[in-house]
Amino acid sequence: MNSFFHDENVALYRKLIAENESNPSRDEDRHAMLLTLLAEETAKAKQLPRLPDAW
């Protein structure tokens, strides 16, 4: 179950980063924070045990 939330967080951070990159007047501090959050969440997700997809 935890992997679901991590996967959703990763997807959300990627979406927010993509939206922020397309904004010409983006907030660089916010962008840097989103990249940090994405890296942290990706690292956490790799440490979690994964269940097989075919349940």
Side-chain angles (χ1 to χ4, degrees):
M1 183 60 114
N2 283 338
S3 64
F4 170 78
F5 293 111
H6 288 292
D7 292 344
E8 290 298 309
N9 286 341
V10 167
L12 174 62
Y13 294 144
R14 285 183 177 153
K15 177 182 175 236
L16 292 172
I17 289 168
E19 289 173 357
N20 203 21
E21 286 179 345
S22 65
N23 185 356
S25 63
R26 74 179 181 201
D27 180 357
E28 291 298 327
D29 291 335
R30 180 176 187 259
H31 189 72
M33 179 54 73
L34 289 170
L35 291 172
T36 301
L37 290 170
L38 176 62
E40 289 174 357
E41 200 66 36
T42 303
K44 287 181 201 174
K46 288 181 180 178
Q47 295 173 356
L48 292 173
R50 308 285 284 186
L51 296 176
D53 289 334
W55 263 81

